[in-house]
Amino acid sequence: MPSAPVPASVSAEPLIQVEKFNYAYGDHQVLFDLDLNMRSTDVTALIGPSGCGKSTLLRAINRINDLVDSARVVSGRIRVDGVDLYAPEVDVISLRRNVGMVFQKYNPFPRSIFENAVYGLRVAGIKNRHDLEEAAERSLRSAALWDEVKDRLHEMATGLSGGQQQRLCIARAIALRPRILLMDEPCAALDPIATARIEELILQLRHEYTFIIVTHNMEQARRIADRTAFFYKGRLVEEQDTMKLFTAPDDPLTESYVTGRLT
Amino acid sequence: MDSSDLPRRPELRNLIIRNRKRTILGFDPQQIIKYFFGANASTAVIVLVLIMIFLVREGVDFLPTNRHELQTYRQAGLEFCDLVDRPLREHQTLSSSLRQCVSAALEPIVKDARERRNAAFLLKTQAEEKAARQREALENALEREPPPAEDQLAALRKDLQTAAAAASQALIYPSLFTAEETALFKAQLAALSPELTDLPPFIQALSAEFMTQDRAAREKYADLVTAQEEFDEAPDDLHELVDELKEQALGAKQSVEESHALAVNRQQLLEAAETTADPDEKASLIKEAEASVGEEVDLTALTKELTARTGELQTQIAAYVESAEKAAASLPDDVGTPDAAALLQKAKKGLPAHVQDMREAATALESWRVDKPVSMLRVIGAFFFGTEWITNSSWQDFFGFVPLLTGSVVIALIAVFIATPISVIAAIYTNQFATDREKELIKPVIEFIQAIPSVVLGFIGISLVGDLIKEFSEVSWLQWIPGFPIQERLNMFNAGCLLAFMAVPTMFSLSEDALNNVPRGYIDASDALGATKLQTVFRVIVPAGISGILSAVLLGLGRVIGETMVVLLVAGNRIAIPDFSAGPGVVFQPAHTLTGIIAQELGEVSRGSSHWQALFMVGIVLFTISLLVNWCARAVARRFESQKA
Ligand SMILES: Nc1ncnc2c1ncn2[C@@H]1O[C@H](COP(=O)(O)OP(=O)(O)OP(=O)(O)O)[C@@H](O)[C@H]1O
Ligand SMILES: [Mg+2]
């Protein structure tokens, strides 16, 4: 991938602040004392071995884990733009509209491409046909999907290829114009070409949205992320400028992980 | 490690060649196991096919048998009589609504007088009951032989007088009577004695008053009353003639049947004779067969006697039609109360159609041909489109299954209509909103319903639901519901409610499964896009599970159509097509069903009779319907499934 990560501006205020965050499923604690800041101008990658809690952190940020009965915050907080996410005055629905999410397994609804693209707007109560069409075109263009689907907007979304379906899911998320986009291994189910297209997309959109991406692909993290955070067994080991984390990590654990020697 | 230390292993070559020794009776054990499992799996299929063959074998003879019966029906002239008799039956309905109309018209005028008279009679009975002991004592004494001494009688009389006076004081006199009337009546009641044969004068006066009122009312509506009476008597002559012809036809039919039975018997004896080896027995069988010959019935001659009277019949019909029309023309327009007016309207509307039917019957008599053969198509039509299921009739049996089918279908629809929302909503709640503890409660409870024996539900229907519906139907602010107040406690709605209850577990469990199978990803995606819980349920989960829900509903329908015990106990078992002109209120009418009729009648009919075969035909239809419904359920599930993929 040609475009190198844009150097992060040091002065930018952190948009997401994770403070002494402890999180558990029932009695099984999975996140321990997390302290992490993410700036709005950065693409942040979260890496770490399977089961270390990356998805859990993402799902805590848009509170989609509220729907898991056993999930709970043990202590600490996450602030987004200074607001404590778990404070009672937070409107979860509005939060989710502004913090979009893309899942590992592409999951368009079994409906038309158009209906998928505008689903978020529909549930937000927008009925005007014209507005919906405009938003669908805008988001599909942003997701670099428009040219491929503009003639078959009313066909089933499930008829698209995997990569197209994943881009449709991205379009569906950005149709709501969120500030933050959480991506949980967005390319894990895709082939290298489809992966490259998504990465390209992220780099194009990075000025409009704050990306937080979970990935198991070290190369991908290198290619797209400004900052990378390494998790191990529910703890944050190191959060660094991506280049530094991969070339000269502070922590030996990080080094053994990024070089593939972690056992 | 030193390789020579390893135990020597057999040659690979020897290992991969099949060891031929392991066979059972020359068969590979693997194969045997496979066949064993295969055989078990195919048992179900084989049994299903056997059931189908059995049903069809018993039922298929119905068509020729019934054809023969219908042939006799025609040849013996029963059909000829029915040409007139059937339309004439409508007379009874019309006449009864006119009669009701008359009483409704008279009602407001005679009501007071009648109530006063009835109240007086009631008081008299009460007074007599209160002094019953003394009264009986006196009565017994009076009947004794020889009569007791006069002073003894006087004492008894005195006792009775005191008792009667006390009784007349203790009674409650309704406000229908004025104070003077009450005083007068009280005195008369106090004087009641078995020695007086006349009614108390007060009651006599009241009766007379009622008679006068009634006469006055009848005079006021003289037009209506005479028209009703005339119409009532109009078909008497025609009836007489038809009855005579019917008797004749029936006689002919019976002799045909007898000779047919003898012929069948003879055939059987001859067949038996063929197969026996013993010459003595053979001879006796043949002798017996020879004896089993009925006298030849000359049907043509018999029916000719009937058709010879066509002219006479037509004259009578014409006379009847004329007087019916006259009565219709003289019906007044104004009959006072709205009740009466409604009944009058009904009669007025029915009369012209009835007259027309009678006229057509008169012409049909001429074109009727005794020798026209009964086509198979007609026999099939008579079964599938016949509107009458009449069995054990002294006249003619008809096996038309439309009334049974309508009953079954209406009841099933009611059940599905009630059960679907309940089970689907319960499934959505359990699947999406309930906490784990609620789930643990709801699921087993609903599934337990399945374990309730249907006969127990039948009890509940008879004793509880029926009464509840009846009581509800009499609540005044519910009268806007069509069909209220209801006549019958046992009706299609009642059965439908109970069947709905029985269908809920099936529908609930399958719908819940369908919702459970909605991919987690859809739900996550919807939530992540800011949908509320309800939006996720109705925009994503239900549409994604709709195929499963629909097939759950269809399987519930299949369960309901096949259910027997509840409908037999609760549906009211009236074999008639429900009167759909009553609008949605039709659901409160009783009906019989496909399943119910089999359960009720199969035990009582003689094996192999046309009735028996007709019941098997019903069984075949029922079986086919169930198969179709189940097949539809699968098709729905598959169709939507393929759309999703
Ligand atoms: N719904 C849940 N209920 C209970 N425990 C859960 C749930 N989801 C995740 N966990 C547990 O939380 C821990 C962290 O899981 P999480 O999915 O966050 O890991 P991850 O880092 O995303 O792993 P991967 O890279 O495999 O996706 C794991 O031990 C997992 O078993
Ligand atoms: Mg994960």
Side-chain angles (χ1 to χ4, degrees), chain A residues 50-51 53-56 59 104 184-185 214 216:
Chain A
S50 200
K54 308 176 296 290
S55 298
T56 304
R59 295 171 65 92
Q104 169 178 356
D184 195 348
E185 301 177 45
V214 171
H216 282 290

Side-chain angles (χ1 to χ4, degrees), chain A residues 67 93 96 107 111 119 123, chain B residues 521 526-527 530 535 539-540:
Chain A
L67 300 156
I93 301 297
R96 293 193 190 133
N107 54 357
R111 304 185 184 191
Y119 180 86
V123 298
Chain B
S526 173
D527 288 333
Q535 285 173 327
R539 285 169 183 262
V540 176

